[in-house]
């Protein structure tokens, strides 16, 4: 098995090219592969295959909205092996991988995801670094909810960005105080509001066009960054100020991205890094299933 390792603002992934959709990505195998002691280590897995091939192999029961059979599809798995609908940092790494490996020859194209088609623009790239914008689609505010995390209770807004989020703006939270929070314990969410769980973002209020954010990802734990989480954070920060649209610079532990939200939807622009490639022993991988 070939693999590549990459990250988007230090949200990291193992990329698995699988053009014939032959890999058996069981939950246990993915979890071990993502384990930072037993496996390669990553926040998630990105399988690379055409959407129609994944459908015909039974990985997808149907093609999501706007996705064509010939589109490259990001089959994304969380670090615990569960399937997630969307990953904004993952799409940037996925698009970068396609361009580097000549699987895609255009700078503007569509990447399929379980949340639907995502248009991407690769502004620049080389074998290691890229600058990529992803059209993240609709951002839907779902109403208020609360969470217990980091030893405290926080009020936030439920946001659908293709996957569920609870983004909590704390107007009194400083950057230093945000950095001192302990996010090692999973959050307690309202199970009726979020029956399938959600990513949770804690963030400062909008100041000079920017916010600082930390995130606890469903099925992963705290990560250095979360692409959809930065979009949810930007939407929450704007809403907190009584705004519906705008551009927000979002700082995460792994760097900075720019999110633009307008009446058409959201875009996310940020870096991608491909840092390694190699082979995974087939016998070892088979033993994990």
């Amino acid at each position: 098995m070939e693999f590549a390792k990459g990250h988007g603002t230090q949200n990291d992934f193992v990329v698995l090219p699988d053009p014939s959709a032959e890999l058996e990505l069981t939950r246990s195998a993915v979890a071990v592969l993502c384990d930072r002691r037993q496996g390669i280590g990553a926040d998630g897995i990105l399988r690379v295959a055409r959407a129609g091939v994944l459908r015909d192999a039974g990985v997808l029961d149907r093609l999501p909205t706007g996705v064509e059979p010939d589109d490259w599809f990001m089959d994304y798995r969380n670090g615990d092996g569960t399937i997630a609908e969307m990953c904004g940092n993952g799409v940037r790494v996925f698009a970068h991988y396609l361009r580097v490996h000549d699987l895609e020859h255009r700078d503007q194209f569509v990447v399929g995801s379980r949340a639907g088609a995502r248009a991407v623009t690769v502004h620049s790239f080389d074998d290691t670094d890229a600058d990529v914008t992803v059209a993240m689609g609709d951002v839907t505010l779902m109403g208020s909810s609360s969470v217990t995390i980091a030893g405290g209770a926080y009020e936030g807004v439920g946001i659908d960005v293709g996957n569920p989020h609870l983004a909590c703006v704390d107007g009194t939270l400083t950057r230093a105080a945000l950095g001192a929070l302990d996010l090692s314990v999973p959050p307690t969410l309202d199970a009726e509001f979020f029956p399938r769980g959600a990513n949770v973002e804690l963030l400062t209020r909008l100041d000079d066009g920017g916010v600082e954010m930390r995130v606890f990802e469903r099925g992963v734990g705290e990560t250095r960054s979360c692409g959809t989480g930065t979009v949810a954070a930007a939407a929450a920060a704007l809403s907190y100020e009584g705004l519906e649209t705008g551009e927000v610079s979002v700082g995460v532990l792994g760097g900075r991205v720019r999110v633009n939200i307008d009446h058409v939807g959201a875009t996310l622009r940020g870096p991608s890094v491909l840092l390694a490639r190699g082979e995974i022993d087939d016998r070892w991988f088979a033993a994990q299933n």
Side-chain angles (χ1 to χ4, degrees):
M1 290 172 53
E2 294 182 2
F3 80 94
K5 181 73 186 287
H7 72 86
T9 50
Q10 298 180 26
N11 188 192
D12 62 337
F13 310 95
V14 174
V15 184
L16 298 177
D18 186 22
S20 299
E22 296 175 340
L23 295 179
E24 188 176 0
L25 296 184
T26 64
R27 182 168 178 173
S28 61
V30 169
V32 172
L33 195 57
C34 289
D35 187 274
R36 299 186 187 278
R37 292 178 176 85
Q38 299 182 79
I40 294 174
D43 294 323
I45 297 288
L46 310 177
R47 176 175 18 199
V48 182
R50 301 277 188 185
V53 172
L54 291 170
R55 179 196 57 192
D56 295 344
V59 176
L60 300 174
D61 57 5
R62 61 178 180 81
L63 296 183
T65 302
V67 178
E68 299 295 330
D70 285 341
D71 290 337
W72 289 104
F73 190 93
M74 183 184 72
D75 180 17
Y76 177 63
R77 313 296 174 103
N78 290 317
D80 68 350
T82 55
I83 294 173
E85 300 90 345
M86 178 56 183
C87 178
N89 291 324
V91 173
R92 298 201 312 276
V93 173
F94 190 92
H96 185 191
Y97 180 90
L98 294 179
R99 291 295 277 119
V100 166
H101 290 270
D102 292 325
L103 298 174
E104 177 59 66
H105 298 95
R106 298 167 294 175
D107 290 329
Q108 294 181 308
F109 53 93
V110 167
V111 170
S113 77
R114 288 180 172 83
R118 293 293 182 260
V120 301
T121 300
V122 180
H123 301 284
S124 63
F125 78 97
D126 58 27
D127 286 351
T128 305
D129 298 290
D131 176 21
V132 183
T133 292
V134 182
M136 299 292 287
D138 294 334
V139 179
T140 304
L141 276 61
M142 303 157 55
S144 300
S145 188
S146 61
V147 64
T148 300
I149 188 174
Y154 294 86
E155 296 295 322
V157 57
I159 301 177
D160 184 349
V161 194
N163 58 350
H165 295 260
L166 181 66
C168 306
V169 181
D170 185 335
T172 67
L173 195 62
T174 65
R175 181 174 184 173
L178 178 67
L181 294 176
D182 179 6
L183 298 189
S184 60
V185 178
T188 302
L189 290 158
D190 183 339
E192 291 188 7
F193 197 97
F194 293 109
R196 299 179 60 192
N199 294 358
V200 176
E201 292 80 33
L202 301 179
L203 61 141
T204 60
R205 71 178 298 173
L206 194 62
D207 180 31
D208 197 25
V211 299
E212 304 298 323
M213 179 194 96
R214 288 178 67 186
V215 57
F216 193 102
E217 285 200 60
R218 174 185 60 170
V220 183
E222 185 180 15
T223 57
R224 303 283 296 174
S225 178
C226 171
T228 54
T230 61
V231 175
L238 291 169
S239 177
Y240 189 86
E241 305 298 334
L243 303 172
E244 294 183 355
T245 63
E247 185 173 85
V248 180
S249 171
V250 182
V252 293
L253 295 177
R256 264 200 124 72
V257 297
R258 299 201 70 83
V259 177
N260 186 76
I261 297 177
D262 58 26
H263 295 296
V264 177
T267 60
L268 168 64
R269 181 169 182 171
S272 166
V273 178
L274 292 173
L275 56 100
R277 66 178 72 177
E279 295 180 347
I280 298 167
D281 184 87
D282 291 334
R283 186 176 61 176
W284 175 86
F285 186 75
Q288 311 312 315
N289 288 301

